[in-house]
Amino acid sequence: MFIGGSIFLLAVGAILSFAIRDNINEVDLVEVGYILMGAGALGLIVSLIINGQNRERTVVERRDPPPPA
């Protein structure tokens, strides 16, 4: 799950938790929204940790030639 998918889960979870006031038999939409927001937050944290570890660290040393005499 990448950062975009995590943000999507957070958004869908927030919509289900706070914006929809409908009842579906035996399904609590508020609870489903909270679960999706938790999964999105966890996925976002894991994605940022993995993304930070995959960066290659390279040091480039630049030496300019001496000025002409």
Side-chain angles (χ1 to χ4, degrees):
M1 182 183 324
F2 294 108
I3 295 173
S6 300
I7 292 173
F8 176 76
L9 284 178
L10 282 169
V12 171
I15 290 170
L16 287 176
S17 294
F18 306 121
I20 296 178
R21 298 290 176 215
D22 195 10
N23 290 331
I24 298 176
N25 292 336
E26 299 185 20
V27 176
D28 186 11
L29 292 179
V30 175
E31 189 71 25
V32 172
Y34 285 142
I35 292 170
L36 288 177
M37 286 193 305
L42 183 65
L44 184 63
I45 292 169
V46 170
S47 295
L48 290 175
I49 290 172
I50 290 174
N51 193 18
Q53 291 176 350
N54 286 342
R55 288 190 180 173
E56 292 182 21
R57 309 238 190 259
T58 56
V59 177
V60 177
E61 186 175 322
R62 180 179 164 190
R63 295 186 183 183
D64 293 329

